[in-house]
């Protein structure tokens, strides 16, 4: 019985990991291709949630979850063209500062537009409640969340591995100078990657809005988790991020099962252990650009 | 260049020097005349410092508090002020305990505040209380609920308006007893992992044990937890008769939302919830029984008039932190009018007569003279069924006042034996 309960936590952790993945994968892609740690990533997550609430008011939940990420992704184009682009080759500290500053500005803007009080989104009543599969309890809504996350994951994998777009991006991660020498401009690819990345973050925000409160500082909460996932997974590794996201979700669930008070600290302990034994992360490759 | 700078230096210096001389002369004059106090306070507006969190996880509640005190101030000033003087109230963000103390000191020292009002965070209130004691001025602590503030940390310069943790637990507990959810029941507790949560859990366990219930688990929840699913799975595995939450701030709302998402069948109760948190949970998400200090449906002329005026002025229904700031300022003004003074000792002496104070509830309250805690009625609420209400604010169903009209108001409060407060 004990084992079964533990297994239930593991499965639930995998579901939660799927949601972490949505945010961390974009952060990892932007970092891998542009060499920029986008500390404003959480702001796009928060924007995704707020915009989805506005849209849901008029068009309902389904439309909100589709339109909000697209709208935020378009905003991501402006972000890349006018801000991020200036910092790809600059000292990393500059891009850290500018994206951190941007995160603060975005949080205050949200406070000005939507107010300091938390907002609440409701989920369609058909998605409320849970189903029991085998011996495991699943929230219906989270099953949907997991399906969407899996769909996005497959989509991104196909895009990176089965298209010419993906080939250029992967080459850009490994050897940006060689790509340039072949006469390919990486900038339009970078715009697309940023668009995809912040779009995924916004999708995460829109999907999480019905589960937890939507408030101006929500971006700060998620950026820490996403960053930990990327570090554990290893830079430049697609499957590393996937593995790390699931692992963080599982470790958190199991920790809460045994020592509830340590639940939120568990991922930092995990990061510590991984970095002790594998400084480049679980599946991180040796990348010239960063070493 | 050098001549220029010399010139500007002397130009800056001379009026300063003159000001210092003037100030010195007036102080000397006042001392010579022998009544410095009159020079200091008998003219101009009465200044009151208002500190409350406006940012951070209590910021949403603090913004309600500012609206409430503003409305009370305008009403008082429109009707001629206090002893013919207008009220000048300055509200500031208390931010955190250290900043709160610094601002409180500045308000007394430099801004000329006669008294301080405000706060929601128990931790910030603790440091402001120390500042008030050091300056020998009055601080009316409106929103903080920790028992320790009116217990081991109490001082004679601080008055506490909101109900303390023990009263919330007792009010909620009485409601749960009535529903048969304590005696002989297995209770699963979730407790916020910081001072307030631990305080709450301690009082709740004491109540449950005293009334024949059993706490089968008490899980600590970190304050930055947003996802409760691992806890919900544990709850389902334990199959309790009741889930009791000792959570704070955004945690409460996130928990009830996710509880509704998973749709577990066990009844939920909580020992702490503000009306704003309940509204934030959204319709259809909240269930269970919760305690509160005031609500907008109380059937008294005072509450009706207050709610109507607030809606007219701000276009929304007042939350309990707007109410508490409103009645607290009015209580302060009542004391100033009655004593015809802003003198700290006189104000304290007035409140210590246990003078009746209108809280817009059926029964008037009073500050108990040995711990300065406001004695007042409390309420519990449940949630109306979907479809039986129209307005967004209107889905909470409130109980009759606790204690019953024929019982003393002190019934729910900690007794002298339970509360270690003594004034120095």
């Amino acid at each position: 019985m004990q084992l079964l309960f533990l297994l239930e936590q593991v499965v639930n952790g995998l579901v939660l990991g799927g949601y972490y993945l949505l945010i961390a994968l974009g952060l990892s892609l932007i970092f891998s291709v542009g060499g920029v740690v986008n500390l404003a990533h959480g702001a796009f997550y928060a924007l995704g949630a707020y915009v989805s609430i506005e849209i849901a008011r008029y068009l309902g939940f389904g439309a909100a979850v589709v339109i909000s990420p697209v709208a935020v992704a378009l905003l991501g184009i402006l972000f890349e063209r006018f801000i991020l682009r200036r910092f790809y080759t600059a000292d990393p500290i500059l891009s850290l500062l500018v994206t951190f500053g941007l995160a603060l500005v975005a949080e205050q803007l949200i406070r000005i537009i939507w107010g300091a009080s938390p907002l609440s989104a409701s989920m369609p009543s058909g998605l409320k409640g849970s189903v029991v599969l085998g011996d495991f309890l699943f929230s219906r809504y989270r099953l949907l969340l997991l399906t969407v996350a899996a769909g996005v994951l497959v989509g991104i994998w196909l895009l990176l591995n089965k298209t010419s777009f993906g080939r250029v991006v992967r080459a850009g991660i490994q050897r940006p100078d060689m790509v340039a020498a072949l006469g390919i401009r990486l900038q339009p690819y970078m715009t697309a990657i940023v668009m995809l990345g912040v779009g995924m973050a916004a999708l995460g925000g829109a999907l999480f809005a019905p589960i937890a409160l939507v408030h101006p500082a929500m971006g700060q909460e998620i950026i820490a988790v996403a960053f930990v996932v990327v570090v554990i997974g290893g830079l430049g590794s697609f499957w590393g991020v996937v593995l790390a996201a699931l692992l963080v979700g599982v470790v958190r669930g199991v920790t809460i099962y045994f020592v509830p008070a340590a639940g939120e600290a568990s991922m930092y302990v995990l990061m510590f252990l991984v970095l002790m034994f594998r400084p480049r992360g679980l599946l991180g490759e040796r990348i010239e650009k960063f070493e | 260049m050098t001549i220029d700078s010399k010139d500007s230096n002397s130009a800056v210096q001379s009026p300063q020097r003159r000001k210092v001389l003037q100030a010195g002369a007036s102080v000397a004059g006042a001392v010579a005349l022998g009544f410095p106090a009159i020079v200091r306070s008998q003219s101009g507006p009465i200044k009151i410092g208002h500190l409350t969190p406006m940012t951070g996880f209590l910021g949403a509640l603090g913004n309600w508090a500012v609206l409430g005190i503003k409305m009370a101030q305008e009403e008082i000033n429109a009707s001629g002020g206090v002893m013919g003087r207008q009220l000048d109230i300055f509200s500031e963000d208390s931010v955190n305990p250290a900043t709160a103390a610094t601002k409180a000191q500045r308000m007394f020292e430099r801004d000329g505040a006669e008294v301080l009002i405000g706060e929601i965070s128990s931790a910030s209130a603790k440091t402001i209380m120390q500042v008030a004691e050091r300056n020998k001025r009055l601080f009316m602590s409106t929103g903080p609920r920790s028992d320790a503030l009116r217990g081991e940390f109490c001082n004679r310069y601080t008055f506490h308006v909101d109900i303390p943790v023990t009263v919330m637990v007792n009010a909620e507990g009485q409601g749960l007893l009535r529903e048969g959810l304590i005696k002989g029941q297995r209770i699963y507790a979730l407790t916020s992992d910081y001072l307030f949560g631990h305080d709450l859990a301690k009082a709740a366990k004491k109540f449950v044990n005293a009334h024949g219930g059993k706490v089968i688990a008490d899980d600590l929840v970190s304050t930055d937890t947003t996802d409760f699913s691992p806890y919900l799975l544990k709850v389902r595995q334990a199959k309790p008769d009741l889930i009791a939450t000792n959570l704070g701030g955004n945690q409460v709302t996130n928990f009830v939302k996710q509880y509704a998402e998973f749709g577990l069948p066990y009844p939920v109760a909580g020992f702490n919830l503000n009306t704003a948190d309940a509204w934030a949970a959204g319709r259809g998400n909240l269930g269970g029984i919760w305690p509160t200090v005031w609500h907008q449906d109380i059937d008294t002329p005072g509450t009706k008039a207050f709610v109507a005026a607030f809606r007219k002025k701000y276009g929304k229904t007042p939350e309990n932190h707007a109410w508490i700031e409103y009645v607290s300022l009015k209580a302060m003004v009542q004391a100033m009018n009655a004593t015809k003074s802003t003198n700290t000792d006189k104000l304290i002496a007035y409140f210590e007569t246990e003078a009746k104070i209108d809280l817009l509830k059926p029964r008037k309250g009073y500050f108990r003279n040995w711990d300065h805690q406001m004695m007042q009625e409390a309420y519990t609420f449940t949630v109306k069924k979907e479809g039986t209400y129209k307005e967004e604010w209107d889905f909470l169903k409130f109980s009759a006042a606790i204690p019953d009209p024929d019982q003393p108001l002190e019934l729910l409060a900690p007794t002298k034996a339970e509360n270690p407060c003594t004034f120095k």
Side-chain angles (χ1 to χ4, degrees):
Chain A
M1 209 56 183
Q2 178 96 7
L3 193 67
L4 199 68
F5 288 164
L6 199 57
L7 206 58
E8 190 176 23
Q9 291 289 1
V10 171
V11 176
N12 180 63
L14 292 176
V15 177
L16 193 66
Y19 147 74
Y20 290 153
L21 183 61
L22 279 179
I23 295 109
L25 195 56
L27 189 67
S28 169
L29 278 175
I30 293 173
F31 187 44
S32 304
V33 183
V36 173
V37 176
N38 178 22
L39 290 180
H41 210 62
F44 291 101
Y45 165 81
L47 268 180
Y50 274 99
V51 172
S52 80
I53 287 184
E54 285 301 326
I55 295 172
R57 231 167 258 194
Y58 303 103
L59 301 172
F61 172 78
V65 167
V66 176
I67 297 174
S68 162
V70 173
V72 173
L74 295 177
L75 200 65
I77 298 182
L78 298 179
F79 169 59
E80 198 277 335
R81 295 227 29 172
F82 294 105
I83 299 174
L84 218 49
R85 183 166 288 184
R86 298 160 192 273
F87 296 95
Y88 294 144
T89 51
D91 188 338
I93 196 77
L94 290 178
S95 61
L96 278 177
L97 279 174
V98 78
T99 53
F100 181 68
L102 202 69
L104 294 180
V105 170
E107 190 181 323
Q108 287 307 321
L109 271 179
I110 287 176
R111 201 164 269 142
I112 289 168
I113 298 172
W114 284 287
S117 305
L119 300 183
S120 187
S122 28
M123 59 181 70
S125 50
L127 289 170
K128 264 189 196 164
S130 46
V131 284
V132 178
L133 300 175
D135 284 313
F136 300 145
L137 181 81
F138 292 97
S139 139
R140 267 186 214 162
Y141 184 80
R142 284 179 205 229
L143 282 182
L144 172 83
L145 206 157
L146 183 66
T147 316
V148 173
V152 169
L153 182 67
V154 171
I156 297 285
W157 187 84
L158 289 175
L159 185 69
L160 288 180
N161 289 286
K162 300 287 170 194
T163 64
S164 57
F165 171 86
R167 272 194 292 279
V168 175
V169 169
R170 279 184 298 140
I173 293 175
Q174 294 284 341
R175 291 288 181 106
D177 42 350
M178 281 305 287
V179 176
L182 290 171
I184 300 171
R185 274 180 73 233
L186 266 176
Q187 284 196 339
Y189 291 90
M190 194 54 209
T191 310
I193 286 294
V194 171
M195 210 178 95
L196 262 179
V198 302
M200 277 193 280
L203 178 64
L207 283 172
F208 210 57
I211 294 180
L213 282 179
V214 173
H215 60 101
M218 66 190 290
Q220 283 175 24
E221 291 173 356
I222 201 69
I223 188 77
V225 183
F227 192 67
V228 167
V229 166
V230 172
V231 170
I232 292 176
L235 298 176
S237 165
F238 180 83
W239 290 113
V241 175
V242 176
L243 185 65
L246 298 181
L247 205 58
V248 166
V250 170
V251 166
R252 181 174 175 273
V254 172
T255 308
I256 288 178
Y257 184 76
F258 290 110
V259 196
E264 306 304 324
S266 62
M267 64 177 173
Y268 300 105
V269 176
L270 181 69
M271 178 168 79
F272 176 76
L273 290 177
V274 168
L275 290 183
M276 281 272 286
F277 296 105
R278 249 190 102 77
R280 70 174 76 149
L282 289 176
L283 301 179
E285 292 165 37
R286 197 184 159 79
I287 299 172
E288 224 170 84
K289 197 159 73 180
F290 305 117
E291 289 177 15
Chain B
M1 279 297 277
T2 39
I3 293 170
D4 267 11
S5 77
K6 235 185 208 165
D7 272 5
S8 64
N9 262 346
S10 61
V12 171
Q13 266 174 12
S14 73
Q16 269 181 348
R17 212 181 298 142
R18 203 175 298 152
K19 239 184 228 164
V20 172
L21 283 176
Q22 270 175 357
S26 58
V27 168
V31 171
L33 285 171
F35 37 91
I38 291 178
V39 175
R40 215 192 85 236
S41 70
Q42 288 294 311
S43 56
I46 297 176
K47 293 183 175 172
I48 295 180
H50 180 230
L51 282 166
T52 198
M54 298 180 192
T55 51
F57 87 115
L58 295 169
L61 301 176
N63 289 312
W64 285 106
V66 173
L67 298 183
I69 204 164
K70 272 221 175 82
M71 196 169 103
Q73 178 194 8
E74 282 172 22
E75 284 180 13
I76 292 160
N77 282 344
S79 64
V82 183
M83 300 177 283
R85 296 163 67 189
Q86 294 281 294
L87 288 184
D88 177 8
I89 297 178
F90 30 97
S91 297
E92 285 190 38
D93 186 357
S94 56
V95 187
N96 59 41
T99 310
T102 312
K103 288 192 172 179
Q105 181 63 32
R106 196 204 64 218
M107 283 175 162
F108 280 138
E109 212 169 53
R110 292 227 317 266
D111 305 343
E114 304 280 353
V115 294
L116 294 187
I117 295 187
E119 241 348 295
I120 295 170
S121 156
S122 296
S124 297
K126 193 181 152 197
T127 62
I128 300 175
M129 284 171 67
Q130 291 161 353
V131 173
E133 189 175 30
R134 245 193 342 259
N135 288 275
K136 301 201 185 318
R137 297 281 185 82
L138 204 151
F139 168 45
M140 192 177 271
S141 166
T142 52
R145 290 173 172 172
S146 164
D147 278 331
L149 296 180
R150 41 281 263 184
E152 51 187 308
F153 303 128
C154 77
N155 69 45
R156 75 179 282 261
Y157 295 97
T158 309
F159 289 80
H160 308 271
V161 186
D162 210 344
I163 47 176
V165 161
T166 300
V167 172
M168 289 198 295
V169 168
N170 287 344
E172 171 74 10
Q174 295 294 339
L176 293 173
L177 272 181
R178 227 180 271 162
E179 307 274 329
L181 286 170
I182 299 241
K183 198 171 166 18
Q185 304 291 297
R186 297 165 67 251
I187 295 162
Y188 200 111
L190 292 170
T191 296
S192 186
D193 197 5
Y194 77 113
L195 183 75
F196 174 72
H198 292 195
D199 247 27
L200 208 51
K202 207 171 91 188
K205 267 184 204 156
K206 197 172 141 205
F207 187 94
V208 168
N209 289 333
H211 292 86
K214 191 174 173 229
V215 179
I216 55 167
D218 182 9
D219 280 357
L220 289 175
V221 182
S222 158
T223 49
D224 53 354
T225 295
T226 47
D227 167 61
F228 281 85
S229 59
Y231 292 99
L232 292 170
L233 295 180
K234 285 181 80 175
V235 166
R236 173 177 171 259
Q237 290 157 2
K239 298 191 175 46
D241 299 308
L242 174 73
I243 304 167
T245 63
N246 306 306
L247 303 171
N250 289 350
Q251 286 180 325
V252 195
T253 324
N254 281 336
F255 175 79
V256 296
K257 283 190 78 156
Q258 289 168 37
Y259 193 79
E261 178 204 343
F262 276 80
L264 296 181
Y266 318 107
V268 180
F271 292 102
N272 174 49
L273 187 78
N274 290 296
T275 345
D277 305 331
W279 290 335
R283 29 196 331 176
N285 284 325
L286 193 71
I289 306 175
W290 309 84
T292 188
V293 62
W294 174 87
H295 62 80
Q296 71 273 16
D297 294 337
I298 292 177
D299 193 14
T300 60
T303 284
K304 282 189 175 143
F306 168 65
V307 172
F310 194 95
R311 283 184 176 151
K312 190 167 165 233
K313 183 166 166 55
Y314 298 114
K316 48 189 174 185
T317 300
E319 200 262 350
N320 51 292
H321 288 89
W323 161 82
I324 207 159
E325 235 72 355
Y326 179 87
V327 295
S328 296
L329 183 62
K330 294 253 167 139
M332 188 67 89
V333 165
Q334 176 185 332
M336 288 175 175
N337 277 328
T339 58
K340 303 218 175 345
S341 166
T342 56
N343 178 285
T344 307
D345 289 325
K346 285 187 181 165
L347 294 176
I348 292 176
Y350 174 78
F351 285 129
E352 284 187 346
T353 62
E354 304 202 333
K356 293 273 182 277
I357 290 162
D358 186 7
L359 301 170
L360 317 181
K361 299 181 187 181
R363 292 162 78 178
K364 291 191 170 175
Y366 61 90
F367 286 108
R368 196 157 63 168
N369 58 24
W370 59 271
D371 66 353
H372 291 179
Q373 169 62 47
M374 175 71 78
M375 294 293 122
Q376 59 184 312
E377 292 157 301
Y379 302 84
T380 60
F381 60 84
T382 51
V383 177
K384 294 177 187 170
K385 279 211 175 66
E386 190 75 32
T388 61
Y389 56 87
K390 281 192 212 113
E391 226 192 317
E392 191 186 343
W393 319 99
D394 197 32
F395 64 93
L396 307 176
K397 182 166 170 273
F398 294 94
S399 75
I402 303 170
D404 291 333
D406 53 339
Q407 292 173 318
L409 285 175
E410 286 203 42
L411 187 74
L412 304 176
T415 61
K416 221 166 189 164
E418 290 166 337
N419 189 357
C421 169
T422 42
F423 294 142
K424 282 185 228 62

